[in-house]
Amino acid sequence: MNPAFSRAMLPNDASEALLAGRLLLDDGPTPVLIRDGQVEDVSGHAPTMCDLLETDDWHSVRGKLLFPLEGLNDLPATSFLAPFDLQVIKAAGVTFAISAIERVIEERARGDYTIAAEIRENVEAAIGGAIRSLVPGSEGAARLKGTLIADGLWSQYLEVAIGPDAEIFTKTAPLASVGWGAEIGVRSDSSWNNPEPEVVLAVDSAGRVRGATLGNDVNLRDFEGRSALLLSKAKDNNASCAIGPFIRLFDDKFTMDDVRGAVIELKIEGPEGFVLSGRSLMSEISRDPEELVRQALSEHHYPDGFALFLGTLFAPTDDRDEPGRGFTHKVGDIVSISAPRLGALVNRVTTSKDAKPWEFGVRALMRNLASRGLLEKAVS
């Protein structure tokens, strides 16, 4: 993968977009705004992304000009950090009908990819058409649940797909996500896994959605298929969460309606020449993004805000090697996730064991900010 920046990283209307992100510069992790073709260091106003997202008026934030947009070409890939720092990283699961079907298949296969194809055919025939048009939590969904229970086809995954309560879980810890150009990790003992291309919302401490970016919610189908109680092992591993490259902040040119209509493209290019493409249409999501934010807030308090993965329509079933095995990652895969108005997130696959260890945590960030005299500048 070419580590250099290209305009493909940015939205196709980058000249009109207001973007926020984090760059690893000589002094340390630095919040930046990208607007009007310029990259600005805004750490003097907002030393963390958490502080920046609490700002009511983006136009009031004035930073130090670093370089024109093209200057990003001169930065190594390690400069592009995930655009969140103190925020907890949350995720919503089983938010698309086809995703629910694939989770049921994993559950019935007990994580064994060799029998998934046969189970898929039976499950799709039994419930595929029934759940696609249902509104979660509706009377129709409740009636279908009763029928499926009677037929012995009910699943905990269908409960969160069409029941009143969404699946909301913690994907990873603050500062543990990787950014554009970094290696993403898949557990070395997983034999059935896949990327999950998603929109990620940036939510502040008051529960306001301030913008959106792209994410890869790397998933281990064998682990979660063996037991839903292994969700944390399936989801939270070293380098298993990629976000970026930048948050597109909401303004009069980009709103939640643009998120609702987004088309997320995925391309996987394997070292052996294998290519797989897919897409996730946000218009087919079962629960509105704002409803997912509401359920993530629930009875919690997030003083530093949070990021929220919205789930994916993509569930790869194409055979990569022998017939019936379906898709799983190989070391060296290049995963590209893109959307016209959000840009592109590109990462290379390795194992979580071999990926760069997560070593820069909250203590390290606080020490760095203190050494730069930035802590007292935080937005109150």
Side-chain angles (χ1 to χ4, degrees), residues 103 106 171 184-186 192-198 215-221 235 240 242 265-269 274 276-278 280 309 311-317 320 327-330 333-337 345 347 349:
R103 299 293 86 77
E106 290 167 14
K171 169 64 179 179
I184 51 173
V186 174
W192 190 19
N193 47 69
N194 61 267
E196 294 195 343
E198 304 186 23
N216 186 349
D217 179 17
V218 180
N219 183 47
L220 309 183
R221 303 189 70 179
K235 290 291 189 179
S240 66
E265 300 282 354
L266 172 75
K267 185 175 184 180
I268 303 169
E269 300 170 275
F274 173 85
L276 175 65
S277 298
S280 186
F309 279 76
T312 184
L313 178 66
F314 178 73
T317 59
R320 182 168 194 173
F327 172 83
T328 195
H329 270 309
K330 291 184 178 182
D333 283 351
I334 302 299
V335 181
S336 302
I337 298 170
L345 173 65
N347 301 94
V349 173

Side-chain angles (χ1 to χ4, degrees), residues 15-300:
S15 62
E16 298 182 348
L18 179 59
L19 305 173
R22 295 169 65 234
L23 296 178
L24 182 58
L25 303 179
D26 291 341
D27 290 337
T30 302
V32 299
L33 279 179
I34 299 176
R35 55 186 168 189
D36 302 325
Q38 303 291 327
V39 181
E40 301 175 31
D41 171 356
V42 295
S43 60
H45 173 92
T48 67
M49 285 297 294
C50 173
D51 293 309
L52 182 58
L53 292 175
E54 294 292 318
T55 304
D56 289 326
D57 180 12
W58 313 123
H59 300 290
S60 68
V61 179
R62 291 300 164 195
K64 179 177 67 174
L65 179 63
L66 291 175
F67 39 73
L69 196 60
E70 289 71 19
L72 294 171
N73 285 304
D74 300 325
L75 300 179
T78 52
S79 298
F80 298 94
L81 303 176
F84 294 97
D85 42 39
L86 299 181
Q87 297 92 339
V88 66
I89 310 299
K90 307 291 287 188
V94 201
T95 55
F96 291 80
I98 193 170
S99 175
I101 294 170
E102 286 299 313
R103 299 293 86 77
V104 173
I105 292 164
E106 290 167 14
E107 180 183 43
R108 291 180 174 262
R110 297 293 188 265
D112 182 357
Y113 64 80
T114 63
I115 60 175
E118 179 183 353
I119 294 172
R120 179 174 295 108
E121 183 176 348
N122 294 334
V123 170
E124 177 69 36
I127 65 175
I131 71 172
R132 280 184 164 86
S133 60
L134 285 178
V135 176
S138 66
E139 291 183 6
R143 286 195 297 270
L144 176 61
K145 176 178 178 178
T147 300
L148 293 175
I149 289 175
D151 293 342
L153 292 173
W154 189 245
S155 162
Q156 58 197 333
Y157 292 104
L158 294 174
E159 176 64 44
V160 295
I162 67 174
D165 298 308
E167 179 189 22
I168 306 289
F169 59 92
T170 298
K171 169 64 179 179
T172 195
L175 289 169
S177 304
V178 300
W180 180 92
E183 290 189 317
I184 51 173
V186 174
R187 280 184 65 106
S188 59
D189 52 355
S190 171
S191 60
W192 190 19
N193 47 69
N194 61 267
E196 294 195 343
E198 304 186 23
V199 172
V200 183
L201 298 181
V203 186
D204 70 10
S205 62
R208 300 178 300 174
V209 182
R210 310 308 310 277
T213 185
L214 298 169
N216 186 349
D217 179 17
V218 180
N219 183 47
L220 309 183
R221 303 189 70 179
D222 45 2
F223 275 71
E224 187 177 356
R226 296 204 327 259
S227 171
L229 297 181
L230 292 175
L231 179 67
S232 60
K233 281 195 172 183
K235 290 291 189 179
D236 189 4
N237 299 289
N238 183 45
S240 66
C241 179
I243 308 177
F246 301 103
I247 298 170
R248 181 155 188 178
L249 300 174
F250 284 171
D251 56 15
D252 58 354
K253 297 182 178 64
F254 184 78
T255 69
M256 183 63 81
D257 283 340
D258 292 292
V259 171
R260 293 183 177 105
V263 177
I264 313 303
E265 300 282 354
L266 172 75
K267 185 175 184 180
I268 303 169
E269 300 170 275
E272 81 282 30
F274 173 85
V275 177
L276 175 65
S277 298
R279 57 171 43 188
S280 186
L281 282 68
M282 288 299 297
S283 60
E284 296 188 21
I285 198 168
S286 300
R287 303 180 197 264
D288 187 76
E290 290 186 343
E291 168 62 13
L292 292 172
V293 171
R294 186 191 69 79
Q295 293 212 25
L297 285 166
S298 185
E299 296 181 359
H300 294 290

